[in-house]
Amino acid sequence: MIEIGLTGGIGAGKSTVADELVARGAVLIDADRIVRDLQEPGEPVFEAMVERWGSRIVADDGTLDRAAVAEIAFTDDDELKALNDIVHPAVGKEMIDRRAEVEGTDAVVVLDIPLLVRADGESIVEQYQNLAGIIVVDIDPELAVERLVAHRGFDEDDARARIANQASREARRAVADIVIDNSGDLASLGPQIDACWDWIQSLPHAEPPADD
């Protein structure tokens, strides 16, 4: 198994890069998508969030009102910490479980980890000791704001607040083995991903776990 970390700020297009790597044969374990699964009604993470913040974070159809959560968490450091304390342990466990399903195979596993570098610049790379390399999807924060507003319906102030609550561009790039510049279109992205895939294929596979 070759295990690769993938990270990038909100609006950078990390999901697009992840999907392109999957198209080339990778197995994706996506923290953001796991978060959405765990925040479905009836899941323990959803219930813990509602217990803390009440019905104001529940939409009319009973699902999580993500905009309401963002308004609470991304404007108050204490509330953001509370959210992270609820979500992160559950996500980490689920990622470990999904990784275990392909351990010992010849798969290329891409771990999509948005918070591989924290907002304060601290890296948690050491928590992922089996990573053969790290890919950072990078764009200028102003372009990220433009894309969030134009393509994902964000309010500009909300987009800027979310970016401000994440790691800096420089802190992410500092942990990268490969930086993918996603400031252009898909045509300019493709060759970079091809080169990245070639690099991944050149890496040694991790040794399978020894039998007891």
Side-chain angles (χ1 to χ4, degrees):
M1 181 171 71
I2 298 175
E3 200 165 2
I4 301 295
L6 174 67
T7 195
I10 186 170
K14 180 169 49 65
S15 295
T16 299
V17 172
D19 290 342
E20 289 294 324
L21 290 170
V22 168
R24 288 159 175 78
V27 174
L28 177 64
I29 301 177
D30 183 336
D32 278 344
R33 298 178 195 186
I34 290 172
V35 167
R36 289 195 291 271
D37 291 344
L38 296 179
Q39 291 177 338
E40 288 292 319
E43 294 291 332
V45 168
F46 177 88
E47 299 299 334
M49 292 174 65
V50 173
E51 182 178 351
R52 179 175 178 88
W53 292 294
S55 60
R56 60 179 168 157
I57 66 165
V58 180
D60 291 342
D61 63 359
T63 62
L64 188 68
D65 185 337
R66 299 183 189 281
V69 174
E71 185 175 350
I72 294 167
F74 291 102
T75 57
D76 186 307
D77 289 344
D78 290 338
E79 299 296 353
L80 179 60
K81 181 181 185 303
L83 176 63
N84 289 340
D85 287 346
I86 292 170
V87 173
H88 289 176
V91 172
K93 180 182 182 301
E94 183 66 20
M95 291 184 74
I96 289 169
D97 291 346
R98 294 191 187 188
R99 178 187 178 278
E101 294 176 0
V102 291
E103 188 170 13
T105 72
D106 61 356
V108 172
V109 178
V110 174
L111 299 179
D112 186 328
I113 314 169
L115 297 178
L116 193 61
V117 183
R118 299 188 188 278
D120 61 4
E122 180 184 354
S123 165
I124 61 167
V125 171
E126 70 278 357
Q127 296 182 23
Y128 297 89
Q129 298 178 359
N130 295 310
L131 293 181
I134 296 171
I135 303 165
V136 171
V137 185
D138 180 62
I139 65 170
D140 184 278
E142 289 299 317
L143 180 55
V145 170
E146 291 178 17
R147 289 181 175 177
L148 289 170
V149 171
H151 303 301
R152 292 174 58 181
F154 276 69
D155 174 81
E156 182 175 341
D157 289 341
D158 183 22
R160 292 188 184 280
R162 295 206 192 196
I163 290 171
N165 276 292
Q166 294 187 335
S168 70
R169 187 181 187 186
E170 293 73 23
R172 283 197 197 87
R173 290 175 67 99
V175 305
D177 294 293
I178 294 284
V179 175
I180 292 181
D181 177 5
N182 196 22
S183 58
D185 57 15
L186 281 175
S188 62
L189 188 62
Q192 294 184 75
I193 296 177
D194 286 336
C196 181
W197 186 248
D198 289 342
W199 166 72
I200 292 171
Q201 296 297 306
S202 74
L203 298 171
H205 284 259
E207 292 294 326
D211 294 331
D212 293 332

